[in-house]
Amino acid sequence: MEISAGIQASLAGRYAAALFELASEAGTVTAVESDLDKLRAALGESAEFRTLTTNPEISRKAAGKAVWGVAALLGLTELTQNFLGVLAENRRLSALPEMIRAFRQIAAAQRGEVTAEVKSAHALTDSQLETLRQKLTAREGRTVKLHTEVDPDLLGGLVVTIGSKRIDGSIRTRLNSLAHAMKTA
């Protein structure tokens, strides 16, 4: 398996690559990917869980116990539970969001997919998502998987990020550009 040098260069990428290799050997890539999606959602929904992963005052032992509890509550696979235990022991839980992103990139690359992070001011309908997916697939020349996020600060429009490429069609950016143009004129 070829993993991009950019992913391997980062700490999160090295951990994600190691987890991917273990999951590949065990034939559980899909299950681990599902586990990581659950963890990503938990990090987004729970301030306590975010604090657990980022607070340096929490001991390794306490963080490990708490992470095992969260893993059991979420019904995570043994491999993912062990991975979280290693992160707690090595004091790397704060990098979990980046590790999740890197793992998803590696898994998507193996499947010939690319992931597009889509931020919109309002939740998109299923038909809007499907239209966007089709247009991005045609543009990229490979299957595009969408991960959506609502960001009311955009005011309207979309910001789509695929790898290092960003397509910013948000009203906020247009207003900022207009304000800048008016200042320099």
Side-chain angles (χ1 to χ4, degrees):
M1 171 194 68
E2 183 65 30
I3 299 172
S4 80
I7 290 175
Q8 285 182 337
S10 70
L11 174 79
R14 289 190 302 271
Y15 274 89
L19 177 60
F20 185 83
E21 288 185 29
L22 290 170
S24 291
E25 290 171 8
T28 59
V29 172
T30 304
V32 170
E33 198 169 10
S34 173
D35 288 349
L36 294 178
D37 285 343
K38 290 176 191 175
L39 284 168
R40 179 179 185 226
L43 284 166
E45 295 169 8
S46 171
E48 293 85 9
F49 187 41
R50 278 192 308 278
T51 299
L52 167 71
T53 63
T54 58
N55 188 342
E57 294 178 4
I58 298 174
S59 72
R60 294 171 195 240
K61 187 175 182 178
K65 276 183 152 180
V67 165
W68 279 101
V70 169
L73 182 70
L74 294 175
L76 305 182
T77 62
E78 185 179 350
L79 177 58
T80 306
Q81 289 178 10
N82 291 339
F83 178 70
L84 290 173
V86 167
L87 295 182
E89 183 63 31
N90 293 342
R91 292 200 155 292
R92 300 291 189 218
L93 284 170
S94 62
L96 185 57
E98 292 83 17
M99 291 175 197
I100 293 170
R101 263 192 302 283
F103 186 94
R104 286 187 1 219
Q105 287 176 341
I106 294 166
Q110 281 299 106
R111 291 189 298 266
E113 295 176 347
V114 64
T115 300
E117 299 288 335
V118 179
K119 288 185 181 181
S120 60
H122 306 285
L124 299 174
T125 66
D126 290 341
S127 65
Q128 289 171 324
L129 288 171
E130 186 54 35
T131 301
L132 180 60
R133 182 184 345 272
Q134 289 173 1
K135 288 184 179 189
L136 290 173
T137 296
R139 177 185 171 153
E140 293 297 313
R142 51 188 168 162
T143 305
V144 175
K145 187 175 179 183
L146 300 178
H147 284 277
T148 59
E149 182 181 332
V150 174
D151 182 359
D153 291 339
L154 295 178
L155 303 176
L158 299 173
V159 177
V160 179
T161 306
I162 302 174
S164 62
K165 293 181 271 182
R166 174 170 278 180
I167 304 164
D168 192 339
S170 67
I171 291 176
R172 179 183 63 190
T173 300
R174 290 179 189 172
L175 289 174
N176 288 342
S177 297
L178 181 61
H180 180 67
M182 290 173 67
K183 285 180 186 175
T184 58

